[in-house]
Amino acid sequence: MELTTLLFYFFSLLTIGSAIFMVFSKNIVHAAFALMFTLLGVAALYVLLFADFIAATQILVYVGGILILILFGVMLTTKGFTDNLKTLTTNLRPVSVVMTLVAAGMIYVLLTTTWPVAEIAEPEGTITGLGTLLLKEYILPFQVTGVLLLVAIIGALLMATKVKHQQ
Amino acid sequence: MENELIQWLSQPGLTHYLMIGALLFCIGITLVLTRRNVIMILMGIELILNSVNLNFIAFSRFSVITLDGHLTALFLIILAAAEAAVALAIVLNIYNRFKTIDIDEISLLKG
């Protein structure tokens, strides 16, 4: 068995295992930390797929940004101290049965389809190609995303500061 | 038959990654449907977006050897960041008005 195979199984177990832990954990902070391990596992899978820049972006944006935002949201929206961090779970049994069936169906479809597989090229760094594409063919989406981020920041700021005026 | 299975298991290909993506997607949907806390629902949505990204990267590695999948994944990550910022601002507003973020309690259309 090759090392990459072992790494693939290790990181996919990490990803799926901590995602399942998120479903069954009662404490929201535990779930947030499990989400961190899921995101790190997905980043490692990106590395195994030769997507080095996307893996770095995943760690920077998801683990360093979105997860911290989520933890801030948890801290700002819980009353009192740590004993109120429990969250409600409803309909867990029927939903998990249905979603297991859906997952089984999807895996069956994936296994019985023949996908077009191209020749695997030698792995090389993707950053140069990504930068060239981003400034040539994809210049319009690039600019539009910049505008979107600006709008999102202004919207979040407006909504967050309006809270103070109401009190 | 068994040799084929072992051969298939020992060479992770496109199908393996797509299966991981499918499982992540289903777990994300389960989180969205079962949890009553808005922040947990947001975490479920992040899981779903991650599974989509994983599929894009897997296809751009195995099926089409171009970087278009990588760029789509990059734009999706940016979209997820913007979505998380706006959604958490909305959650804070909801908390300030209703003093709870349980979505069963937030049932008013006109606050």
Side-chain angles (χ1 to χ4, degrees):
Chain A
M1 235 196 221
E2 285 179 52
L3 182 63
T4 47
T5 313
L6 286 177
L7 282 177
F8 168 77
Y9 282 111
F10 174 72
F11 284 118
S12 32
L13 270 183
L14 179 74
T15 309
I16 301 296
S18 30
I20 290 176
F21 179 81
M22 274 174 75
V23 175
F24 291 107
S25 78
K26 291 268 182 284
N27 191 319
I28 190 167
V29 178
H30 292 178
F33 275 92
L35 178 67
M36 181 183 83
F37 283 109
T38 310
L39 297 175
L40 286 177
V42 173
L45 289 180
Y46 289 162
V47 173
L48 289 179
L49 288 167
F50 303 146
D52 45 1
F53 184 69
I54 305 292
T57 316
Q58 164 99 357
I59 291 177
L60 278 178
V61 175
Y62 269 105
V63 183
I66 294 179
L67 198 67
I68 301 296
L69 261 182
I70 284 177
L71 279 175
F72 266 106
V74 172
M75 281 192 279
L76 290 173
T77 53
T78 37
K79 285 175 245 168
F81 294 108
T82 45
D83 47 335
N84 279 333
L85 290 173
K86 301 243 181 297
T87 56
L88 277 179
T89 308
T90 50
N91 306 326
L92 184 57
R93 203 163 294 167
V95 170
S96 39
V97 168
V98 170
M99 290 323 289
T100 313
L101 288 179
V102 171
M106 280 164 90
I107 286 174
Y108 174 73
V109 169
L110 290 178
L111 284 178
T112 48
T113 314
T114 37
W115 302 98
V117 175
E119 284 287 311
I120 294 174
E122 279 292 304
E124 50 188 54
T126 57
I127 298 176
T128 318
L130 276 181
T132 317
L133 269 181
L134 210 54
L135 289 181
K136 274 185 176 170
E137 280 90 348
Y138 284 84
I139 183 77
L140 184 65
F142 184 55
Q143 301 285 342
V144 171
T145 350
V147 175
L148 173 94
L149 275 180
L150 182 71
V151 171
I153 289 169
I154 293 175
L157 264 180
L158 262 183
M159 275 188 284
T161 47
K162 211 173 132 199
V163 173
K164 279 182 192 156
H165 290 303
Q166 282 174 349
Q167 284 176 340
Chain B
M1 180 62 200
E2 264 189 24
N3 278 335
E4 272 178 30
L5 186 68
I6 290 171
Q7 174 82 14
W8 182 79
L9 278 178
S10 67
Q11 284 175 340
L14 179 60
T15 318
H16 298 70
Y17 287 97
L18 293 184
M19 276 161 62
I20 302 287
L23 284 176
L24 264 188
F25 178 78
C26 290
I27 294 169
I29 296 276
T30 314
L31 266 178
V32 171
L33 288 181
T34 55
R35 289 308 174 122
R36 284 295 164 266
N37 187 319
V38 179
I39 294 178
M40 285 302 292
I41 292 174
L42 279 178
M43 291 189 206
I45 293 174
E46 301 298 338
L47 276 192
I48 296 172
L49 286 171
N50 259 288
S51 78
V52 174
N53 264 348
L54 193 61
N55 277 13
F56 271 120
I57 302 278
F59 272 116
S60 92
R61 160 78 169 76
F62 288 107
S63 267
V64 201
I65 313 285
T66 56
L67 287 177
D68 294 337
H70 287 221
L71 275 171
T72 316
L74 200 59
F75 287 130
L76 265 174
I77 290 176
I78 298 170
L79 278 183
E83 170 252 322
V86 174
L88 279 166
I90 293 174
V91 169
L92 288 189
N93 262 322
I94 288 176
Y95 181 72
N96 253 44
R97 183 176 287 265
F98 295 97
K99 298 294 167 208
T100 178
I101 49 169
D102 189 324
I103 55 168
D104 282 337
E105 310 277 326
I106 309 161
S107 52
L108 289 177
L109 275 183
K110 191 179 174 193

